[in-house]
Amino acid sequence: MCGIVGYIGPRNTLGILLNGLATLEYRGYDSAGVSFIQDGKLELIKKKGYVKELRQAVAEAGFTLDDKHTNRISSGIGHTRWATHGAPSDENSHPHMSMNGKLCVVHNGIIENYAELRSFLKKKGYKFASETDTEVAAQLIEYYYRLYDCTDINAAVRRALKDIVGSYALCVLCVDTPDRLICAKKDNPIVVGIGKGENFIASDVTAMIEYTKDVVFLEDNCVLTMTKDRIEITDVYGEPVEYKVSTVEWDADSVQKGGYAHFMMKEMHEEPKIFEATVEPRIQDGHIHLEHIHISKEFLEDLRNINIVACGTAYHAGCVGKYLIEKLCRIPVVCGVASEFIYSDPIIDEHTLTLVISQSGETLDTRNAMKKAKELGSYTLAIVNVIGSTIAREADDVLYTAAGPEISVASTKAYTAQLGCLYLIALKFAHTIGKISDEEYVHYQQELLAMPDKLAKILEKQKEIQRFASEHFNVESTFFIGRGLDYYLSMETSLKLKEISYIHSEAYAGGELKHGTIALIEEGTLVVSPITQDELVGKMESNIKEVATRGATILAIIPERLKGVKFSCNEKFIIPDSDELMAPILAVLPCQLFAYYMAVYKGCDVDKPRNLAKSVTVE
């Protein structure tokens, strides 16, 4: 869940490392550090806090970040941390240096047997300067390096990997081989950037997109040896492994704020265009074309059930997908949290389709759930944002969103793009097996194509949400209530508020409040209620009246066609009309804006909320 960068080449290495870490700060930001070899000496600088604190420490140490200065650094690695073992501190920050000062290591993942290895190494005379599992890797590699008489760092890394149980993306810098970096991967991402006379490594392509778009996604159980002029990839036994160079379509502007105060605001404003980019190219001449998906009519007709598996925001998108597929296709769907799925003894066989959703394509819980489903005979279909990511490579079929890089930890545009893919899948499947007519099929396509303009109209009215948030940001608790699709929407929007404003928030099905939770409603409690499903309008009016009579302040989010209906609410935010099946695509945006402005007025760090990381690559 942390960020790794590495570089070998003629540019200013420290500038490359620190810029890359700043780009990857969404992956972890409780501490950061760099290690590099200059004039034959291994240097290490690391600090608790954000990358800006590290940048200041580097400058105070007398190192220049100016690209105009000649690079005297042979190679370098950097890391931003999200703590797992050991509290945030200078000592627990990465990189970690071996006891003899020969090598430094950065690591993402968890070494499950670190206590056993630590005990073994202590008996061999090793002393530890931190509480982390990563330092164990540094000392273990150094132990084997000494056994090999300090002649083959690559062999020492490969030997150490045989002792390590767990997940890792490791990068090793050795003072005796200043012209190379050694990396290894298992269940955590490592991307290699290919340049001319320079090469890069990172946890995410966003850290290198400014310099190269040619990348290699390192496979599990592989070891990379990288110099400025070449890369070599082997398995853990040293046997060569073939690799493919991919081209990333994103550009450097995608990872810049572009004049917005926060990445989250920029990414919400990108929702109209990313929804269009995800949906419009796949609708042609009245038909939906899902490239890379090879699911046949016969397979769909033979399905007994579909499992949708995801985490967090992607799970909430999956809940909408469950509703859509069951309503349109009449196929039973279970939507489950990935971390629970693999331990639930799921009912799966060759008549099951497992649909997994992950923004990064690296979410470890989701990947493990997909592996479990495949072992039990299920066909797998992935919705991911990152081309070449692990889940994309391992799924039987994949459908890519067109969200581009999402830097803010709280997901907004990725969720909207995931919804776009789910609507396309549900409509395609339903029409293929004859559950919706040709007329309905075309109607829903037209509704999807109209979404970008309607999303843009909502953004034009964001000051209405800003004003409401400015009046209520000091509330202690907020409830989101809805029915049907609006309940699934409420789950996601409640999460957004919790993530970035730290306000206690819960989502409830409107009819469930009176079964206990209404005891928490008191004078001044804030309630947000999307009401977009026509047949449930009367029921929802009853539910919001129940909380209104107990003193709650209520914001209702309703479509244009319902603005004349009298609701027991304090405020209304009007969204454009659409087919009510499509309403979650529109209604989520004002709720995202609401969470954003609540956090801004509270003075929270919107893009980097406390305790969170963007890409969750630990279980």
Side-chain angles (χ1 to χ4, degrees), residues 1-2 24-31 50 80-83 312-313 407-411 495-502 605-616:
M1 294 170 66
C2 314
L24 293 179
E25 201 165 23
Y26 65 85
R27 298 180 67 97
Y29 37 86
D30 59 44
S31 58
Y50 290 165
T80 61
R81 181 171 184 254
W82 186 86
T313 286
I407 306 303
S408 177
V409 169
S411 181
L495 174 63
K496 282 292 145 298
L497 186 65
K498 281 182 279 200
E499 282 180 314
I500 63 174
S501 73
Y502 319 138
D605 190 337
V606 173
D607 286 334
K608 297 188 286 290
R610 68 190 183 202
N611 302 333
L612 299 181
K614 183 72 171 178
S615 181
V616 183

Side-chain angles (χ1 to χ4, degrees), residues 203-392:
S203 301
D204 193 317
V205 295
T206 55
M208 60 183 72
I209 197 81
E210 181 180 351
Y211 311 106
T212 181
K213 293 187 178 182
D214 295 327
V215 300
V216 174
F217 294 93
L218 198 63
E219 298 280 357
D220 274 357
N221 302 308
C222 284
V223 178
L224 163 76
T225 303
M226 184 176 86
T227 69
K228 67 182 180 63
D229 296 312
R230 67 179 180 85
I231 67 168
E232 178 185 284
I233 300 176
T234 71
D235 61 20
V236 292
Y237 304 103
E239 293 299 315
V241 172
E242 292 185 5
Y243 59 87
K244 175 186 175 183
V245 178
S246 303
T247 301
V248 178
E249 300 300 329
W250 301 341
D251 57 42
D253 290 341
S254 301
V255 294
Q256 304 300 321
K257 286 183 183 175
Y260 290 93
H262 300 94
F263 277 108
M264 184 176 176
M265 178 57 79
K266 178 195 176 193
E267 288 158 6
M268 288 186 291
H269 275 263
E270 290 175 342
E271 289 185 45
K273 73 174 184 180
I274 66 94
F275 191 88
E276 181 177 33
T278 298
V279 170
E280 191 271 337
R282 291 168 171 144
I283 296 178
Q284 301 170 17
D285 301 322
H287 290 278
I288 295 172
H289 301 272
L290 303 180
E291 74 284 8
H292 311 306
I293 294 183
H294 308 97
I295 294 173
S296 66
K297 177 181 180 182
E298 292 72 24
F299 176 78
L300 290 172
E301 290 177 335
D302 203 30
L303 279 181
R304 291 180 187 157
N305 65 308
I306 295 175
N307 286 311
I308 300 178
V309 184
C311 303
T313 286
Y315 165 71
H316 297 152
C319 290
V320 175
K322 164 187 163 64
Y323 183 99
L324 296 173
I325 294 171
E326 287 190 334
K327 183 174 183 65
L328 296 172
C329 303
R330 310 309 295 166
I331 299 172
V333 181
V334 173
C335 186
V337 175
S339 57
E340 293 295 318
F341 179 84
I342 58 176
Y343 304 107
S344 66
D345 195 15
I347 301 172
I348 291 176
D349 58 21
E350 67 274 16
H351 302 292
T352 302
L353 171 65
T354 300
L355 198 165
V356 300
I357 310 171
S358 168
Q359 186 278 138
S360 67
E362 303 292 349
T363 311
L364 190 56
D365 286 326
T366 305
R367 183 188 174 196
N368 288 342
M370 186 176 76
K371 283 183 178 178
K372 179 71 171 180
K374 292 185 77 167
E375 288 170 4
L376 295 173
S378 174
Y379 200 82
T380 56
L381 167 60
I383 297 175
V384 299
N385 188 41
V386 182
I387 295 173
S389 56
T390 305
I391 289 175

Side-chain angles (χ1 to χ4, degrees), residues 46 91-92 96-100 111 113-143:
K46 52 186 185 174
E91 294 76 18
N92 290 332
H96 287 284
M97 187 179 287
S98 64
M99 191 174 72
N100 70 353
I111 299 174
N113 62 334
Y114 85 100
E116 175 187 338
L117 293 173
R118 189 182 180 105
S119 176
F120 165 78
L121 289 164
K122 280 185 173 181
K123 290 177 182 177
K124 296 294 182 180
Y126 282 86
K127 294 183 176 9
F128 289 81
S130 77
E131 306 168 86
T132 67
D133 56 338
T134 298
E135 191 183 2
V136 169
Q139 307 290 25
L140 185 66
I141 294 168
E142 194 274 323
Y143 168 75

Side-chain angles (χ1 to χ4, degrees), residues 3 36 62 64 72 106 142 333 348 367 393 453 509 546 556 617:
F36 51 96
T64 179
R72 291 163 45 219
V106 293
E142 194 274 323
V333 181
I348 291 176
R367 183 188 174 196
R393 296 196 306 271
D453 286 342
E546 289 167 354
T617 52

Side-chain angles (χ1 to χ4, degrees), residues 64-182:
T64 179
L65 306 179
D66 189 347
D67 280 341
K68 295 178 182 178
H69 285 71
T70 304
N71 189 9
R72 291 163 45 219
I73 295 175
S74 304
S75 53
I77 55 177
H79 190 271
T80 61
R81 181 171 184 254
W82 186 86
T84 55
H85 293 71
S89 68
D90 289 353
E91 294 76 18
N92 290 332
S93 305
H94 296 213
H96 287 284
M97 187 179 287
S98 64
M99 191 174 72
N100 70 353
K102 283 277 189 180
L103 57 90
C104 269
V105 171
V106 293
H107 163 239
N108 292 347
I110 291 180
I111 299 174
E112 296 173 7
N113 62 334
Y114 85 100
E116 175 187 338
L117 293 173
R118 189 182 180 105
S119 176
F120 165 78
L121 289 164
K122 280 185 173 181
K123 290 177 182 177
K124 296 294 182 180
Y126 282 86
K127 294 183 176 9
F128 289 81
S130 77
E131 306 168 86
T132 67
D133 56 338
T134 298
E135 191 183 2
V136 169
Q139 307 290 25
L140 185 66
I141 294 168
E142 194 274 323
Y143 168 75
Y144 284 116
Y145 188 48
R146 287 176 56 196
L147 284 184
Y148 294 144
D149 296 322
C150 299
T151 57
D152 193 342
I153 183 63
N154 192 294
V157 171
R158 286 189 279 110
R159 178 60 187 86
L161 293 178
K162 294 179 181 179
D163 292 345
I164 292 173
V165 177
S167 63
Y168 51 79
L170 278 168
C171 190
V172 183
L173 186 65
C174 180
V175 72
D176 295 334
T177 53
D179 63 336
R180 71 192 64 184
L181 294 176
I182 311 295

